[in-house]
Amino acid sequence: MYDYVKAIHIIFVVCWMAGLFYSVRLFIYHTEAQDKPEPDRTILSKQFEIIERKLWNIITIPSMYLTIVAGATMLILKPIWLQFGWMHIKLTFVVALVIYHFICQNKIKQMRNGVFRWTSIQLRLWNELATIFLFAIVFLVVLKSALNWIFGVVGLVSLAVILMIAVKIYKRYREKK
């Protein structure tokens, strides 16, 4: 039974993360569409709102809840996992990812109401935060107690710096075009 629940958990983690990654990518395009002249801006905004809403409501939200239910079920089936420090840290990252999810949901509502507070560059950096959460969670689960905390923290910080540099390089590349 445990392995079936774990498979479901993994499948919906993939779906949830895909929804988060693609949603924020849509936010970037939606934000950039505000710089277009009319009627392009209105046409693009309406289309992005439809795509964002469908992606969010049909894939991202259900996947988050199914991920959480399957994860909780695994902990009920094997409560011993809760005795390990790596699991506590993993669950902390999961809570952070859920908070990230609801901030994204708020962004959808803001953009639907014509409020664009973040630039496309800020949204690109925001998108990388989900990547960092994903890396942290996967490494914690795979390496468990074998994780060398110093290398793990240094690795995550290095990843964050590399991703931020990549976003800046991409920005310069786009501006030259």
Side-chain angles (χ1 to χ4, degrees):
M1 175 79 164
Y2 180 83
D3 287 338
Y4 289 104
V5 175
K6 182 165 69 171
I8 289 169
H9 181 69
I10 292 168
I11 289 165
F12 285 106
V13 165
V14 171
C15 294
W16 184 24
M17 293 306 300
L20 288 173
F21 289 143
Y22 191 50
S23 292
V24 178
R25 178 59 49 191
L26 288 171
F27 299 169
I28 293 164
Y29 299 147
H30 195 164
T31 298
E32 290 175 348
Q34 302 315 297
D35 295 333
K36 303 284 185 197
E38 287 297 346
D40 294 352
R41 177 178 40 227
T42 300
I43 293 168
L44 287 169
S45 288
K46 286 181 181 181
Q47 192 60 42
F48 283 125
E49 287 170 18
I50 291 168
I51 297 168
E52 289 161 357
R53 185 181 66 248
K54 286 183 177 182
L55 174 64
W56 198 256
N57 293 329
I58 296 170
I59 296 172
T60 312
I61 290 174
S63 295
M64 179 194 68
Y65 285 116
L66 289 167
T67 296
I68 292 169
V69 167
T73 302
M74 288 190 308
L75 290 175
I76 290 167
L77 293 172
K78 288 198 177 183
I80 192 156
W81 289 126
L82 289 171
Q83 294 178 11
F84 297 101
W86 66 267
M87 179 57 78
H88 297 186
I89 296 168
K90 178 208 173 195
L91 292 174
T92 301
F93 277 113
V94 170
V95 167
L97 191 58
V98 170
I99 293 167
Y100 177 96
H101 173 101
F102 285 109
I103 291 170
C104 288
Q105 187 166 306
N106 189 45
K107 286 274 152 226
I108 290 172
K109 291 175 184 173
Q110 287 176 353
M111 287 187 283
R112 193 177 307 139
N113 292 325
V115 177
F116 295 85
R117 291 195 176 122
W118 291 4
T119 66
S120 63
I121 294 300
Q122 289 171 317
L123 288 165
R124 281 183 171 83
L125 292 172
W126 178 250
N127 204 27
E128 301 312 327
L129 183 57
T131 304
I132 292 167
F133 288 149
L134 177 63
F135 270 70
I137 292 166
V138 169
F139 274 103
L140 281 163
V141 170
V142 171
L143 299 176
K144 295 181 178 51
S145 63
L147 179 64
N148 182 319
W149 297 107
I150 295 171
F151 289 123
V153 170
V154 169
L156 278 175
V157 170
S158 299
L159 174 65
V161 169
I162 289 168
L163 290 172
M164 285 187 250
I165 290 170
V167 167
K168 293 290 185 183
I169 291 170
Y170 181 68
K171 177 186 176 191
R172 287 186 190 137
Y173 170 77
R174 283 178 37 118
E175 288 173 348
K176 286 181 182 178
K177 280 186 146 189

